[in-house]
Each structure stands twice: as C-alpha cells, then as structure tokens.
Amino acid sequence: MIEIKSEREIALLKEAGRIVALCHEEMKKQVRPGISTKELNDICEKIILEHGATPSFKGYNGFPSAVCASINEVIVHGIPSSKQILKQGDIIAIDIGACYKGYHGDSAWSYAVGAISKKDELLMQVTHDALFKGLELVREGVHLGDVSAAIGNYATSFGFGVVEEFTGHGVGRNIHEDPPIFNFGVPGTGPILKEGMVLAIEPMVNAGTRKVRILADGWTTVTRDKSKSAHFEHTIVVRKNGYEILTTL
Ligand code: MG
Ligand code: MG
C-alpha cells in the first residue's frame, strides 16, 4: 500500500527535508582531507537536534550512528568512526535522515575529498544525473517502472554497475515505507504514481561490478571488486504535473 500524504503531512516532511538539506550544506564545507567520519557524523547530529528533530538512522535496526558515511568502495551503510580519516582523492557518500514531529526526510549525497580522478568525477556525475533522469519522469499517472528504467539505463550506458540489493522507498511516518524503488526496471510496469506519494529515490552506482558484499560488522556494504561507488538521494513528493524536492532548503 502506497500512502498518499495530506498537505499537512507534506509540510512536516518538508521541514524534515529542510533539516537534512542544512546538514548537507554544512557537509559541502566540512568534507576535506584530515577530517574523520565521526566528526562529520557529530556535526550532522548537532544540526538535526538543534532544529528539534532526531536522526532517523540512529538505532534503526540497531544502526549505531546518526548518519551513514561510505568512503570509496563502500556503497552504503558505512559506520562513522574517529579512526576513519578522509584523504585527498577519496569520494564519500553521506546519507542523512532526520525525523521532525514524527515525519522523516532522507537524502544522500556524494562528495569529493579534495581533487579526485576524472574517472571518479564521472562516476559521481553520472550517479547524480541518473537520479535526475528518473526524477524528470515523475508525475501523476506514470508507472514507477518508467522511473526505475530511466535511472538504470542511464547509469549502465556508461558501463557502470547499478546496485540491485538496495532500493529507494516511500517516506513518511516511517523512514522506509512502500514501495521499494528499484534503480533498474521495465517501463510500463510497477505501481502508478499519484499526487501526494512521498518517495526517496536513490541510485547507488559502482564503477565496476554491480555486485556487493556486506562486511563482518553487518552494515558496511562494499563493491565486490573494490571499485568505487557513488550514491545520490532526494525525498520528493509526486505532483499532478511533476514533483517537488522535499530535501532542499
Ligand atoms: Mg538515505
Ligand atoms: Mg533512503
């Protein structure tokens, strides 16, 4: 069942999304060689709490931190640590969720640490653009499979691997709601979008194989071939003639 949110609920989701966007604004300034992922985590957690929200991921299925910080070959669910120091040439995906008055916002962004290789720049750009290739199709009446196919086909056209084990999702009073939103698919299939559906769309794209491995901590998910991975995500609301991004300022 895909919930349709009321405008009252959408206003709360928008405030949750704005708080997440404030964190990303700060991450743009803070991500640099020498900073630890724990420091980045703590900056985000402070911003979230200062705005009357709570970090959505902390304690979710036992996740220990406020945000996920996934460096290089880590695709998703990297656990921030004071021992994990960013180096020039790394790429890092920071996934941030905030819950405001019971409603969640969820957005991930990949960042370059100092100067990065052309190859990594392309990976990040293509993953970002894949998100928007999907988003530009979103409006009432469209099949979700159209959106999924647009994302997947764009990323694979560059020879990149599109992760299949993790998906986007509905967002509302729960951080993860129906439907799962695959980053690959067949046009004309899947649920039909309706105004008021709130969705987190989030391509995870690997420079090499799409295949993943989960490390012994039970969270950290890496590419099987150790190639780098990028991740971009926005929470949006479906409108009659398009969409509105909620995880923005
Ligand atoms: Mg997320
Ligand atoms: Mg998400």
Side-chain angles (χ1 to χ4, degrees):
M1 225 280 281
I2 308 175
E3 272 183 30
I4 306 290
K5 269 69 179 184
S6 68
E7 291 304 321
R8 185 196 69 85
E9 290 179 294
I10 290 166
L12 293 169
L13 287 157
K14 207 171 190 167
E15 179 56 16
R18 193 182 71 85
I19 296 164
V20 171
L22 284 171
C23 293
H24 278 299
E25 279 303 306
E26 189 59 25
M27 291 299 97
K28 276 186 212 161
K29 297 177 204 154
Q30 296 291 344
V31 168
R32 61 180 182 273
I35 196 164
S36 74
T37 52
K38 172 74 162 63
E39 288 172 277
L40 296 174
N41 176 84
D42 293 353
I43 292 165
C44 291
E45 186 164 14
K46 185 163 178 277
I47 293 170
I48 291 168
L49 294 173
E50 275 172 1
H51 287 82
T54 54
S56 303
F57 305 148
K58 198 172 190 177
Y60 183 78
N61 293 332
F63 189 76
S65 300
V67 306
C68 301
S70 303
I71 302 172
N72 294 336
E73 75 275 12
V74 181
I75 303 166
V76 287
H77 304 161
I79 301 171
S81 158
S82 54
K83 293 184 196 127
Q84 212 168 45
I85 313 288
L86 299 186
K87 306 184 304 296
Q88 163 98 10
D90 286 342
I91 63 172
I92 180 173
I94 304 174
D95 195 350
I96 305 171
C99 181
Y100 179 76
K101 295 191 176 168
Y103 289 85
H104 295 270
D106 187 7
S107 173
W109 217 252
S110 289
Y111 298 92
V113 182
I116 61 170
S117 71
K118 284 275 172 255
K119 200 180 148 197
D120 294 344
E121 246 170 47
L122 181 68
L123 175 68
M124 282 180 35
Q125 189 66 51
V126 168
T127 309
H128 171 275
D129 293 351
L131 168 60
F132 283 88
K133 293 284 171 195
L135 286 178
E136 69 192 23
L137 298 180
V138 170
R139 59 181 191 76
E140 181 155 301
V142 159
H143 283 273
L144 192 55
D146 296 8
V147 176
S148 295
I151 293 169
N153 292 342
Y154 184 75
T156 52
S157 76
F158 288 83
F160 294 144
V162 174
V163 173
E164 297 188 356
E165 286 82 352
F166 300 93
T167 68
H169 48 89
V171 183
R173 274 164 294 183
N174 299 296
I175 184 80
H176 291 143
E177 298 186 351
D178 277 344
I181 304 173
F182 295 93
N183 293 304
F184 62 98
V186 179
T189 65
I192 294 174
L193 300 182
K194 289 197 176 61
E195 180 163 30
M197 289 178 175
V198 175
L199 309 173
I201 301 183
E202 50 178 315
M204 289 147 267
V205 178
N206 303 342
T209 180
R210 69 166 182 80
K211 295 202 171 139
V212 314
R213 184 195 312 282
I214 298 177
L215 300 187
D217 61 20
W219 286 106
T220 310
T221 303
V222 299
T223 58
R224 247 188 232 182
D225 61 2
K226 301 282 175 67
S227 65
K228 287 185 183 172
S229 185
H231 183 198
F232 287 86
E233 173 185 34
H234 268 311
T235 302
I236 60 110
V237 57
V238 179
R239 294 303 194 187
K240 280 246 171 340
N241 296 307
Y243 67 93
E244 192 183 333
I245 294 176
L246 299 178
T247 37
T248 190
L249 296 180

